[in-house]
Amino acid sequence: MGERDVQVMPAPLLEIRHLTRSFYGVHALDGVHLAVNAHRITGLIGPNGAGKTTLFNCISGVVPPSSGSVVFDGRDITGWRADRIANAGLVRTFQIARGFPRLTVYENLLLYGGAQPGERVHDALFRTSAARRREAELVQKAQAIADRLNLVRLLNAPASSLSGGQKKLLEIGRVLMADPRIVLLDEPVAGVNPSLAREIAQHLRRLADEGLTILLIEHHMDTIAALCDHVVVLADGKNLAEGTFAELASDPVVQEAYMGRRGSAR
Amino acid sequence: MENYLIAMCVSAGIYALMALGVNVVWGFAGMVNLGLVGFFAVGAYASALLTIKAHWAIAGGMAAATIVAALVGAVVALITVRLRGDYLAIVTLGFAETIRIVASNAIWLTNGTDGLSGIPGPGRGTLSPEMFNLVYLAIVGVIVAIAYVMNERLRASPFGRVLRAIRDDEQVAAVAGKHVTLFKVKAFAISSAALGLAGALYAHYTSYIAPDIFVPLLTLYIKLALLAGGLGNDRGAIVGAFAVVFLLESTRFVIPYVPGITPVQGAAIREFLIAAFLLVMLRYKPTGLVPEQPTRLPVPPAPRYQPTA
């Protein structure tokens, strides 16, 4: 790999340095580097098996990397427990809308609210005023987020009763409850109908405009083109290329590895 | 007959306390604990030994039994923290058997398979047997009521919400910022505390404990009580415990009327009937007599409609 250009930019909010991860001898990640600048939407694309989700798992503490480092806001968070990373302000979603099917939409949202003293046994048993006050705040916040995402009618419904698209919206809502500094979204519009996909993209655009930093895995190229300021292409666990979507779409290396004719036809 | 009914209610109360305890790990957090009789035994032996050998007051013995069982529960949870489902079930089953075998062989402490007798009971000897039973029923009733209120508070609290989230998806709960191991250890400790207290209540009620009381069958009775009552629901845990004791005892009266069987065969038929009850229950009412209810919170009056631009 060649030298990276020195960017005339403030330090990135999230920086991945030479990250590797092997599973039983297979190099899922083979020296990936990545810089995500604050208040931007950065896209992460690549063919199936490129290592995108593994990269998310390594960043978010779900799977420890074999080597390399993850630096978030100037702190080396490599090898931290997943909950500690989340509480530091880095929150991710999962590709297949995962979550808590037997909890209600309300509870799914409230759960992501941090700093709830009621999660301690003592405060839970004695219903301390601190726990009740925080719960009231979180309920307010959950209502506001549900309102924003059109989920108000479903607040008391179990999450398992939601449609695929609504589950995707709920994932975004849960992440917002955590007041994150950066969110890692794993295919937020996969399998969603086109009009809802546009709606989700609008939500993400507005969130970025409000100051949120987003790292986004997506196969839906229109969404990537519409949202991302900067796009990174992974293939076979390595960096293949990066740049604006327009630059990548005309890059023959990327076309060959990933987009095929679809990219050149644009 | 009244005395017999009161004794059955005491049994049912002790079963209810165990079912409430197990509900915390199994019902709320979704962890299978097939070793619950082990924690029951730890509590029973702790309180019996402290009151017989160290001459502690009964209340002190019971408090100590609760704490000791909670600590043992925390240790077992730490050891098994990476295990889930069947693996956790088999290791906890092994734990309970280990406790039973230790109780059988540590003769210097537990008197081995002969068991411990002469465990004091509150007012035993001074009160009439009927009064003793009534007093004991009142004690058990108060403890079950307190345990019920505590369980309900935990279930409805943010703490309970985290446990139920872990039940659905441990990994997502971690990504949501929850220290999953810590919550599991706490849940196990709370659950084991209730089981240990139930063991102490049993020991002081019957005045005699021995290793062969703490067999895996008792674990299954409690599991059955929870399944029948409604897993995850605290009222269900109590209803289920009474249902199981009623079932166990009623078969005792029915069997003698079945002609042509020996008492040993009769005992076997009893187990068979209980197994059949469990199967019918799981087939036709898998959520139990009192199913778990979703929590409801107030929703803002009318959602503000925002036309999309």
Side-chain angles (χ1 to χ4, degrees), chain A residues 62 81 83 86-87 98-104 106-107 110-112 116 118-119 124-125 135 143 147 156, chain B residues 153 157-159 161-162 164-165 167-169 171-172 174-179 183 295-300 304:
Chain A
V62 171
R81 266 195 339 262
D83 56 282
N87 287 321
R98 272 168 72 177
F100 313 107
R102 283 181 282 180
L103 301 194
T104 63
Y106 242 134
E107 289 177 311
L110 295 173
L111 184 82
Y112 271 67
Q116 168 52 286
E119 287 175 5
L125 282 179
E135 191 72 354
Q143 288 175 353
D147 189 30
N156 276 317
Chain B
R153 287 194 163 198
S157 73
F159 174 78
R161 184 162 68 216
V162 176
R164 285 179 290 123
R167 177 178 74 180
D168 275 355
D169 194 325
Q171 207 171 56
V172 182
V175 168
K178 311 305 168 193
H179 192 337
F183 279 97
T295 51
R296 296 190 70 83
L297 285 163
V299 172
R304 293 187 295 282

Side-chain angles (χ1 to χ4, degrees), chain A residues 206-242:
Chain A
R206 283 221 308 258
L207 290 167
D209 291 344
E210 289 165 19
L212 189 65
T213 308
I214 298 174
L215 177 62
L216 179 76
I217 295 178
E218 192 47 73
H219 283 296
H220 192 259
M221 287 305 142
D222 292 346
T223 304
I224 291 283
L227 284 180
C228 297
D229 309 295
H230 188 76
V231 180
V232 176
V233 189
L234 289 190
D236 290 328
K238 294 190 185 74
N239 291 68
L240 187 72
E242 61 184 280

Side-chain angles (χ1 to χ4, degrees), chain B residues 11-294:
Chain B
S11 279
I14 291 172
Y15 275 33
L17 181 57
M18 294 173 80
L20 284 171
V22 175
N23 210 17
V24 176
V25 279
W26 194 30
F28 302 169
M31 301 176 345
V32 183
N33 175 4
L34 276 189
L36 62 96
V37 73
F39 302 102
F40 181 73
V42 165
Y45 272 101
S47 195
L49 289 170
L50 285 170
T51 49
I52 295 172
K53 303 208 171 179
H55 306 291
W56 283 34
I58 294 170
M62 287 185 177
T66 311
I67 293 164
V68 168
L71 291 176
V72 173
V75 170
V76 170
L78 277 173
I79 294 168
T80 59
V81 77
R82 290 173 157 276
L83 304 177
R84 300 205 54 175
D86 300 348
Y87 301 96
L88 179 59
I90 207 76
V91 170
T92 49
L93 185 67
F95 159 77
E97 285 297 277
T98 306
I99 294 289
R100 191 167 65 89
I101 290 164
V102 168
S104 304
N105 290 284
I107 297 168
W108 61 274
L109 183 70
T110 64
N111 206 24
T113 48
D114 290 343
L116 291 168
S117 54
I119 305 167
R124 200 199 320 276
T126 52
L127 297 172
S128 69
E130 291 78 18
M131 268 315 283
F132 172 76
N133 269 349
L134 272 177
V135 167
Y136 216 86
L137 180 60
I139 293 170
V140 170
V142 168
I143 288 174
V144 170
I146 292 171
Y148 171 77
V149 171
M150 286 172 68
N151 254 30
E152 277 296 286
R153 287 194 163 198
L154 286 179
R155 189 184 60 78
S157 73
F159 174 78
R161 184 162 68 216
V162 176
L163 294 188
R164 285 179 290 123
I166 290 171
R167 177 178 74 180
D168 275 355
D169 194 325
E170 211 173 284
Q171 207 171 56
V172 182
V175 168
K178 311 305 168 193
H179 192 337
V180 172
T181 303
L182 194 65
F183 279 97
K184 283 180 162 184
V185 168
K186 285 179 178 177
F188 236 91
I190 293 167
S191 173
S192 306
L195 292 166
L197 179 57
L201 284 171
Y202 176 84
H204 292 289
Y205 182 59
T206 61
S207 84
Y208 169 74
I209 54 172
D212 63 1
I213 292 166
F214 306 106
V215 289
L217 193 62
L218 186 56
T219 294
L220 297 181
Y221 286 161
I222 302 303
K223 295 265 156 187
L224 176 58
L226 260 184
L227 280 175
L231 189 58
N233 186 309
D234 292 316
R235 264 186 306 146
I238 295 173
V239 169
F242 277 82
V244 163
V245 170
F246 176 77
L247 189 76
L248 285 171
E249 293 303 319
S250 59
T251 53
R252 188 196 297 277
F253 293 103
V254 174
I255 300 297
Y257 293 101
V258 182
I261 54 167
T262 66
V264 175
Q265 288 169 324
I269 286 179
R270 224 175 133 204
E271 305 296 330
F272 180 80
L273 283 175
I274 289 157
F277 174 73
L278 178 59
L279 286 176
V280 169
M281 197 71 213
L282 286 175
R283 171 64 183 81
Y284 292 102
K285 197 100 173 69
T287 51
L289 297 168
V290 193
E292 184 181 357
Q293 295 298 318

